[in-house]
Amino acid sequence: MHLYEDQFSEQHDFPRIDKPSKVLIIASTARCGSHMLGHALQQTQKFGFPLEYANGANLPEWKSRLGISDFRQLMTELQQRRTSPNGVFGIKILYSQIAEFGGFDHLLTLFPDAYYVMLSRKNVLKQAVSLSIAEQTGVWISGQKPVNDNPEYSFAHIDRCLRRTLVENSSWRYKLAASGCQFIELNFNEVRKNLRRSVREIADFMGI
């Protein structure tokens, strides 16, 4: 898979701070529109730059560029670099990436009192088909070069993608509710239809 190179650019860094006053976590699953939402939030300059900093493919590159091998120290450095001037740090986390933090309890310890925005798609089957294509082509974001130009239809693969998405959506809802986290849920179709309203809803939720 070719990495999304723009994420590493120092032009997306903000003036360094010690630590954020608020943390936004986009709780997501693959192919739910979280990249679109993260970039819309970044353009406001009020939510940091919510990207998949804990993505297993991105982590080695971040560690190499910043010269940091420890995961927790890396997250601290990213917060110091990518927190917007109003004190907000944003990060996008797929449910499968919670393992990188050592589990959900460790995620809560690293980001206490975070604001969670759970993003999902109403048509989960379409999401599963999109996930199947992305896994075959290696194209997760527009502009990435494909590693395979000819994805093939596979009922079994789409079925696995569907089951995975359903389980991860349910797992997010359970973890957030059982842990007493403050969260709201947004739907991909509504976000895509009215990005402005969705951003304002998140801002109201966080008191921004």
Side-chain angles (χ1 to χ4, degrees):
M1 182 182 76
H2 298 288
L3 296 179
Y4 168 55
E5 291 292 337
D6 185 60
Q7 68 180 304
F8 306 109
S9 174
E10 292 183 358
Q11 71 177 358
H12 298 309
D13 291 352
F14 295 99
R16 290 184 68 89
I17 66 161
D18 183 38
K19 63 179 183 178
S21 57
K22 292 183 178 181
V23 173
L24 164 66
I25 296 177
I26 300 177
S28 61
T29 54
R31 314 306 294 164
C32 72
S34 56
H35 187 76
M36 171 188 66
L37 178 60
H39 274 66
L41 292 168
Q42 184 264 345
Q43 289 174 18
T44 70
Q45 300 289 290
K46 300 295 184 182
F47 299 90
F49 196 175
L51 292 172
E52 282 182 45
Y53 298 114
N55 183 304
N58 297 331
L59 279 172
E61 185 66 18
W62 277 116
K63 290 178 178 179
S64 175
R65 292 188 182 224
L66 300 181
I68 300 173
S69 59
D70 180 78
F71 177 82
R72 196 176 184 91
Q73 291 179 4
L74 177 65
M75 288 296 115
T76 297
E77 175 66 20
L78 287 169
Q79 289 179 76
Q80 292 174 340
R81 287 172 174 261
R82 293 288 172 89
T83 295
S84 47
N86 64 333
V88 178
F89 173 73
I91 183 171
K92 178 174 65 166
I93 302 176
L94 273 64
Y95 190 81
S96 59
Q97 294 166 4
I98 293 177
E100 299 288 352
F101 293 87
F104 194 74
D105 289 342
H106 289 278
L107 174 63
L108 294 178
T109 301
L110 185 60
F111 299 123
D113 303 317
Y115 295 83
Y116 292 81
V117 173
M118 183 177 168
L119 185 63
S120 60
R121 289 181 70 164
K122 186 174 182 179
N123 193 324
V124 189
L125 180 56
K126 281 188 176 181
Q127 183 178 355
V129 171
S130 178
L131 176 55
S132 176
I133 294 171
E135 286 191 344
Q136 293 183 65
T137 62
V139 177
W140 299 88
I141 300 166
S142 60
Q144 283 185 304
K145 295 180 180 179
V147 295
N148 172 19
D149 287 319
N150 298 298
E152 297 181 356
Y153 168 79
S154 166
F155 174 87
H157 190 237
I158 292 172
D159 185 61
R160 287 196 300 272
C161 290
L162 179 61
R163 290 173 181 269
R164 168 184 160 187
T165 303
L166 290 170
V167 168
E168 292 187 357
N169 275 329
S170 298
S171 298
W172 263 127
R173 292 187 179 99
Y174 170 75
K175 289 291 188 183
L176 294 174
S179 302
C181 296
Q182 45 194 349
F183 74 98
I184 59 173
E185 186 166 348
L186 298 180
N187 178 269
F188 164 80
N189 299 86
E190 294 301 320
V191 171
R192 183 176 60 177
K193 185 163 53 177
N194 197 328
L195 264 174
R196 178 186 292 271
R197 183 175 62 192
S198 298
V199 170
R200 290 180 70 90
E201 185 174 349
I202 295 171
D204 290 343
F205 166 59
M206 297 183 66
I208 296 175

